[in-house]
Amino acid sequence: GAVVSQHPSRVICKSGTSVKIECRSLDFQATTMFWYRQFPKQSLMLMATSNEGSKATYEQGVEKDKFLINHASLTLSTLTVTSAHPEDSSFYICSASPGESHQYFGPGTRLTVL
Amino acid sequence: GIQVEQSPPDLILQEGANSTLRCNFSDSVNNLQWFHQNPWGQLINLFYIPSGTKQNGRLSATTVATERYSLLYISSSQTTDSGVYFCAVEGPPTGANSKLTFGKGITLSVRP
């Protein structure tokens, strides 16, 4: 149990375009979902926390207008990278929590912006 | 915020050897998790261990919350154990959503 999926697993886009990444909890309801970014050979950095039906809480230094988060239901959260640039290229990982302290992580999405 | 330090940063083992990975944290924690990130990036949850000792096969973990550290033991290492091991902690609650702070990770290479 406790499976989290992400789609797509890999995306390559041109500079200036927007990219949407989906995160789904497949077998549980996630009251909270988290979005992380991981640059090569570095640790995971929390970008934002989202609760179903409310606005996301962004970490310091993360532009909320650039990284749009929508937690539309208890099983789906989306991250949209707007007007992507090469410096946005990274590995984006989501996690979902059913309300306990546990977080269950998705397999990640590798974004490459040309 | 809470600080998490992992050591050593890199570790090379011969297959069959044992190893100990350490995680120090700067404040009391409500949650501590150990993860293994495989070469494809997937984070695999190894242990949820805010205190005490747990074992799962060749892996075991101990957290001494009063001394603010946790240890991950790998026995009889295999090449498939290679990857990055992260310790992540959730500090004292600061609001409605508690969040995990990750250490920088320990890169383990197990050679055949």
Side-chain angles (χ1 to χ4, degrees):
Chain A
V3 178
V4 177
S5 70
Q6 279 184 245
H7 178 81
S9 58
R10 183 183 296 268
V11 57
I12 301 172
C13 69
K14 292 183 179 180
S15 186
T17 61
S18 294
V19 174
K20 180 185 284 189
I21 303 169
E22 291 187 350
C23 177
R24 293 181 185 271
S25 56
L26 299 185
D27 51 3
F28 66 97
Q29 292 188 328
T31 55
T32 307
M33 287 187 168
F34 303 83
W35 287 95
Y36 296 83
R37 180 168 51 185
Q38 185 181 30
F39 291 108
K41 298 191 183 301
Q42 293 190 22
S43 187
L44 280 75
M45 298 300 294
L46 180 65
M47 298 175 67
T49 303
S50 73
N51 289 300
E52 184 261 341
S54 62
K55 289 184 178 180
T57 302
Y58 290 80
E59 294 299 301
Q60 192 172 6
V62 178
E63 299 175 57
K64 63 180 181 180
D65 294 330
K66 181 167 186 63
F67 298 100
L68 300 179
I69 292 172
N70 185 350
H71 194 156
S73 74
L74 285 172
T75 59
L76 173 64
S77 177
T78 60
L79 168 68
T80 301
V81 184
T82 62
S83 187
H85 291 286
E87 57 266 29
D88 298 323
S89 298
S90 189
F91 192 54
Y92 292 87
I93 307 174
C94 74
S95 71
S97 174
E100 318 153 353
S101 290
H102 288 79
Q103 289 186 32
Y104 301 96
F105 284 78
T109 296
R110 194 164 301 281
L111 171 64
T112 303
V113 184
L114 302 177
Chain B
I2 195 166
Q3 304 298 311
V4 182
E5 293 185 0
Q6 292 185 246
S7 60
D10 301 281
L11 190 56
I12 299 174
L13 298 176
Q14 204 65 35
E15 195 170 28
N18 303 328
S19 63
T20 301
L21 286 61
R22 187 177 181 100
C23 173
N24 292 333
F25 43 95
S26 61
D27 202 346
S28 59
V29 297
N30 291 330
N31 175 19
L32 186 147
Q33 291 181 253
W34 281 98
F35 297 92
H36 176 213
Q37 188 171 37
N38 66 21
W40 297 272
Q42 172 76 63
L43 278 172
I44 300 164
N45 193 351
L46 299 177
F47 292 101
Y48 168 76
I49 186 165
S51 63
T53 298
K54 291 186 178 179
Q55 181 159 5
N56 184 3
R58 296 182 297 104
L59 303 181
S60 64
T62 296
T63 298
V64 183
T66 53
E67 298 187 22
R68 299 182 182 168
Y69 73 88
S70 183
L71 301 174
L72 176 69
Y73 304 98
I74 304 175
S75 64
S76 304
S77 59
Q78 301 176 357
T79 55
T80 52
D81 294 332
S82 297
V84 183
Y85 289 80
F86 287 104
C87 167
V89 303
E90 176 190 327
T94 56
N97 302 305
S98 297
K99 53 190 180 184
L100 286 176
T101 300
F102 281 74
K104 292 185 176 181
I106 297 170
T107 302
L108 174 64
S109 300
V110 181
R111 295 179 172 171

